[in-house]
Amino acid sequence: MQHIMKTATLLLLSLISCSCFSQDSRLFEQTWILHDLIINGQSNVPPVNSEQNHIPAYFIEPDEFLTGVCDGTGGAGRIIYNGTTEFSFPEGVGWLAGSCDLNENQIYSWLYQEFWDFTIVDPFQYEIIDVGQNRTLSVTASNGNQAIYGNNFLSIAKFKNESLLVYPIPASDIINLKYNKDISISRIRIYNLQGKQVLLITKNLSQINIESLKSGIYFILAENNENKMLTRKFVKR
């Protein structure tokens, strides 16, 4: 009887251990690029300038996390996973004592560090969403603030074969779409991070009013007459 109880206890501990340290394997499949930092409901898109053109985050198996705005402000922490929806830093995230050369980067670095340093007690919730080739990671602190990452650079960029250009990024009220002259778009759908369609446009496909949308990250799916789709990501301030 004692042998059976001992075996059951070991099995239970094993299951608990697996649950605590399991995680979504997609976390480790790419470098995550910060697209937006939402503090108190306000969007804070990272600055792009001569000192830094992206803010990376690395989840390194089994328990290492690295990120930072500038070389002198990098942060690192030991991460513990609880299932596939949350993680925490038992000792917090440690930051280098340096600073950014440009003032706008330094200010943003302070804001970014404040997000990760909000608490070392409450876990961060996270969710990964795939839309076509675009992958988005949303990390939410216990106070509701969010860091939104993607698997590509957030910039004014063209699709393959220069088929579609979306600008400005970020946008406040209007986004413009410029197509290759050989592309015939029949309709455009816009989705939020939860995969919910928030806009459907079938007319005036070169300029879209997004005033009604909340601040955050959205996906554009432009469909041509052959039911082929082009995807693009944009930020609404």
Side-chain angles (χ1 to χ4, degrees), residues 166-226:
V166 179
Y167 62 95
I169 297 177
S172 298
D173 50 4
I174 297 292
I175 54 173
N176 299 288
L177 286 77
K178 183 178 180 181
Y179 307 97
N180 183 300
K181 62 181 180 180
D182 297 325
I183 299 295
S184 177
I185 299 297
S186 58
R187 60 183 174 180
I188 293 171
R189 303 175 188 269
I190 296 181
Y191 293 84
N192 62 18
L193 280 176
Q194 289 69 47
K196 179 182 178 181
Q197 180 178 303
V198 293
L199 285 177
L200 172 63
I201 301 97
T202 57
K203 297 180 180 179
N204 191 21
L205 301 176
S206 61
Q207 190 175 78
I208 301 173
N209 189 313
I210 58 170
E211 286 183 301
S212 63
L213 300 182
K214 296 179 180 179
S215 297
I217 303 285
Y218 293 88
F219 296 98
I220 294 176
L221 273 71
E223 185 176 346
N224 66 12
N225 294 326
E226 298 176 354

Side-chain angles (χ1 to χ4, degrees), residues 98-158:
S99 62
C100 301
D101 292 333
L102 297 179
N103 187 55
E104 66 172 334
N105 291 344
Q106 185 59 49
I107 293 174
Y108 199 88
S109 179
W110 290 332
L111 188 68
Y112 189 54
Q113 291 181 31
E114 183 179 346
F115 169 80
W116 287 110
D117 290 344
F118 172 71
T119 178
I120 63 172
V121 178
D122 299 333
F124 290 89
Q125 303 294 320
Y126 77 94
E127 181 180 22
I128 299 175
I129 297 176
D130 289 314
V131 178
Q133 295 182 345
N134 293 308
R135 177 171 289 179
T136 299
L137 166 66
S138 302
V139 180
T140 305
S142 59
N143 62 353
N145 291 339
Q146 285 188 308
I148 310 297
Y149 299 87
N151 62 335
N152 50 34
F153 291 92
L154 184 62
S155 61
I156 297 177
K158 298 180 181 180

Side-chain angles (χ1 to χ4, degrees), residues 24-86:
D24 192 322
S25 62
R26 292 176 295 175
L27 276 173
F28 313 110
E29 293 178 355
Q30 66 275 302
T31 298
W32 293 101
I33 306 300
L34 183 67
H35 284 189
D36 199 6
L37 195 59
I38 302 174
I39 305 295
N40 298 325
Q42 296 297 313
S43 170
N44 298 273
V45 178
V48 176
N49 48 53
S50 58
E51 186 176 18
Q52 65 91 30
N53 61 6
H54 70 284
I55 299 173
Y58 307 93
F59 292 84
I60 304 171
E61 293 186 278
D63 61 355
E64 187 176 2
F65 173 76
L66 302 172
T67 191
V69 175
C70 304
D71 291 340
T73 66
R78 184 174 69 88
I79 193 169
I80 291 180
Y81 298 94
N82 184 13
T84 58
T85 61
E86 66 180 41

